[in-house]
Amino acid sequence: AAGMAAPTMEERKACWGARDEFWQCLDSHGDDAAKCEKLRQAFESRCPQQWVKHFDKRRDFLKYKKKLETEGYHPPEAAGKS
């Protein structure tokens, strides 16, 4: 099956580099993906499809985590406590 082979070290580095550039672009443009379209295309063309999906999920998770860290997690009040 073509395309299922594990990426070489060079390919992994190219993928990670493209991902980092894309993420930096998103960071500096407040996650405006339209401003980072070219980097997004480079990211998708250099990384296996599965990785792109994984990294997208990972970024959402990291953003969520950072939000919790900056705003704090407010658990719902336990019922019955006075």
Side-chain angles (χ1 to χ4, degrees), residues 75-79 81:
E77 280 301 308
K81 278 203 174 167

Side-chain angles (χ1 to χ4, degrees), residues 10-24 39 42-43 46-47 55:
E10 258 66 55
E11 288 168 332
R12 287 201 298 268
K13 279 189 181 146
C15 169
W16 292 331
R19 175 203 63 189
D20 291 347
E21 279 180 35
F22 174 56
W23 283 11
Q24 276 171 353
L39 290 172
F43 169 48
R46 289 194 186 123
C47 299
F55 288 139

Side-chain angles (χ1 to χ4, degrees), residues 7 14-16 18-19 22-23 26 39-60:
C15 169
W16 292 331
R19 175 203 63 189
F22 174 56
W23 283 11
L26 287 177
L39 290 172
R40 172 80 198 182
Q41 286 166 0
F43 169 48
E44 288 186 358
S45 68
R46 289 194 186 123
C47 299
Q49 190 61 49
Q50 279 309 112
W51 290 26
V52 171
K53 284 187 186 141
H54 167 76
F55 288 139
D56 284 346
K57 283 201 188 95
R58 175 127 185 94
R59 182 171 169 85
D60 287 341

